[in-house]
Amino acid sequence: MIKGINHREMSRRTALKAAAALLAAYTSSSFGVRAASGKSLNILSMNLLFGEVLASKIPKVYTEAEIIADPIPQNEHYEKLLVEMSQGSSTYDLLALDALFIHQVLANQWVKAVDDIRADDSSLPPLKYENVIPESLKFVQFDGKHFGIPLTLSTPIFVYRKDLFEAKGLSVPTNWDDYRKCAEALHTDEVAGNILLLGGQDAHMSGDWATRLMGMTKLGPDDDGVLDSANRPVFNSEGQGVRAIERIKEVLPFAPKGAEGLDYPDGVSLFSQGKAAMFISWSDVFAGLESGPLKGKFGYAAVPSEKYQQQMTGGISMGVSSYSQNPSEAYKFLDWMLNGEGYKLFLENGETNLVFKSQLEDAAVRAKIPSLNVYEDFKKRGTTTIALPPYRVPNSVEVQRVLYEEILAAVLSRKTPEQAMKDAEVRVAGVIR
């Protein structure tokens, strides 16, 4: 029985300028050269940068099977996944999966545990998970088993205009009090002190609010600060939900005009044009920023914290469809990826949300991709990683929608923060399934 299906309003990473270009560039490039073995693997992918590499680059070098990667526009990918999996379709052997809805996929048993595939075929080698950073494995592990491999890892980052900070003699803020002071000091009629994205469900809930929430209470590595392991609301257990709203409201006067209608693409557009001095959002949102007119003028750091140095992570993974007729061949492709060749092609073709350990440890790579300096900041501050909210429930986007509505009502003073959080607790508890 299929359970837990929900409809998702997708907005994550639509800000990526590369996405439109990649989609335009995609023609017959998704069809690989026929492998000598005559075998083929179909991949349900996304039209993001890693998906373009899967579609046009990897098929040229992978020889064990023909790779046919279908880079669905991201705002259609989730619906395509629902249709294919709920019908038990064997069209796709491998699935690209967003961390936000990974528990829906696992609850519905839409992907095979790679441990079970290997148990059924003793000729398969163990997968080299040690080659990727541990933080990236959070969303491919469940009940002691692995359900695929990580493709990308994203995390919220604080991006700021170095030249404007230097002109004002400001230091990079590491706490929210200093962040507010910088927002006020940098704000002018022409350049907003900071960007807030009140018009986007994911952008506001997980970008503006959750980045403030994540440092207010002590959390474990698998926690997300919104729901506990029993899926009970804990986002205001110590008043932290209210406090996070207050932190947003104190910098709202220094946001661009019309902030209540801004989403990811709007924020990136304003920031890349020099219309704001500071911007906190997910790392994948900033892809392409350094190719714009202000290249070299941006600084990258860990998000300011309240009490605890904790940082959310998310990203895209790849799993073997439970309905695949070629599970062993799909497993071999995952093994090839973890050996490094696929990740090498990701890097060479512009992917910035890296998971391959040797790449992240390479100073030359970090110099090429300045946003990766956030991980060096993690080390300096003793930052631990947590999960993105609310990934634990099958209907995560429905829960996100409730939180967004209540947070926005409080930020825009339609409700008090206290009332909004009380209402959110009741509503979230009512929609979780």
Side-chain angles (χ1 to χ4, degrees), residues 124-180:
L124 297 173
L127 295 178
K128 298 182 178 65
Y129 285 109
E130 65 273 15
N131 288 345
V132 295
I133 57 174
E135 293 86 349
S136 69
L137 297 176
K138 194 186 305 288
F139 305 106
V140 299
Q141 295 174 321
F142 185 70
D143 282 349
K145 293 183 177 181
H146 291 86
F147 288 82
I149 64 170
L151 293 179
T152 68
L153 182 73
S154 55
T155 188
I157 57 176
F158 169 43
V159 188
Y160 59 96
R161 284 280 302 278
K162 292 187 295 185
D163 55 332
L164 299 182
F165 268 70
E166 291 170 1
K168 290 281 187 177
L170 297 172
S171 299
V172 177
T174 58
N175 60 69
W176 293 112
D177 287 332
D178 288 343
Y179 182 86
R180 182 198 59 76

Side-chain angles (χ1 to χ4, degrees), residues 85-353:
M85 295 298 100
S86 62
Q87 293 180 351
S89 170
S90 60
T91 300
Y92 295 102
D93 301 290
L94 291 155
L95 310 170
L97 303 167
D98 193 310
L100 181 60
F101 55 76
I102 192 62
H103 271 243
Q104 179 182 8
V105 174
L106 296 175
N108 288 326
Q109 299 180 349
W110 287 342
V111 290
K112 294 176 179 282
V114 292
D115 313 74
D116 294 341
I117 297 174
R118 186 170 180 243
D120 293 336
D121 186 346
S122 60
S123 69
L124 297 173
L127 295 178
K128 298 182 178 65
Y129 285 109
E130 65 273 15
N131 288 345
V132 295
I133 57 174
E135 293 86 349
S136 69
L137 297 176
K138 194 186 305 288
F139 305 106
V140 299
Q141 295 174 321
F142 185 70
D143 282 349
K145 293 183 177 181
H146 291 86
F147 288 82
I149 64 170
L151 293 179
T152 68
L153 182 73
S154 55
T155 188
I157 57 176
F158 169 43
V159 188
Y160 59 96
R161 284 280 302 278
K162 292 187 295 185
D163 55 332
L164 299 182
F165 268 70
E166 291 170 1
K168 290 281 187 177
L170 297 172
S171 299
V172 177
T174 58
N175 60 69
W176 293 112
D177 287 332
D178 288 343
Y179 182 86
R180 182 198 59 76
K181 292 174 184 177
C182 287
E184 182 175 11
L186 293 164
H187 188 72
T188 68
D189 291 339
E190 292 76 32
V191 179
N194 76 137
I195 287 179
L196 293 173
L197 303 178
L198 281 61
Q201 174 178 320
D202 187 74
H204 187 48
M205 181 269 168
S206 77
D208 295 335
W209 181 72
T211 53
R212 287 157 173 84
L213 186 80
M214 66 187 180
M216 293 184 174
T217 56
K218 186 64 177 175
L219 300 168
D222 295 326
D223 293 331
D224 65 15
V226 167
L227 302 173
D228 66 13
S229 58
N231 288 336
R232 294 170 298 203
V234 293
F235 50 81
N236 199 42
S237 59
E238 300 174 25
Q240 69 271 30
V242 168
R243 183 62 175 148
I245 292 171
E246 293 171 342
R247 284 299 196 186
I248 295 172
K249 294 189 71 170
E250 67 187 16
V251 294
L252 182 57
F254 315 117
K257 293 179 180 178
E260 62 272 14
L262 301 181
D263 203 346
Y264 287 124
D266 313 292
V268 171
S269 178
L270 287 170
F271 198 54
S272 63
Q273 295 174 47
K275 300 295 181 62
M278 301 189 298
F279 191 4
I280 291 172
S281 196
W282 287 82
S283 55
D284 42 16
V285 170
F286 295 108
L289 192 63
E290 289 291 338
S291 61
L294 297 175
K295 178 181 179 180
K297 293 186 177 181
F298 299 108
Y300 302 84
V303 174
S305 63
E306 191 82 21
K307 292 174 61 178
Y308 302 99
Q309 297 290 338
Q310 297 167 158
Q311 188 96 4
M312 294 181 288
T313 55
I316 305 297
S317 61
M318 177 178 284
V320 180
S321 169
S322 292
Y323 307 113
S324 170
Q325 301 299 306
N326 308 293
S328 290
E329 290 304 319
Y331 182 105
K332 291 177 184 177
F333 180 75
L334 299 183
D335 177 58
W336 179 83
M337 285 290 300
L338 283 179
N339 283 329
E341 287 304 308
Y343 295 111
K344 179 182 177 182
L345 288 170
F346 282 178
L347 175 62
E348 290 176 350
N349 289 278
E351 180 58 66
T352 60
N353 296 282

Side-chain angles (χ1 to χ4, degrees), residues 15-31:
L16 289 174
K17 295 180 178 180
L22 297 178
L23 181 58
Y26 169 65
T27 54
S28 59
S29 61
S30 62
F31 297 94

Side-chain angles (χ1 to χ4, degrees), residues 4 6 78 101 103-104 107 231 391-397 433:
N6 64 283
Y78 179 73
F101 55 76
H103 271 243
Q104 179 182 8
N231 288 336
Y391 83 108
R392 278 188 167 121
V393 290
N395 60 329
S396 55
V397 178
R433 61 177 186 269

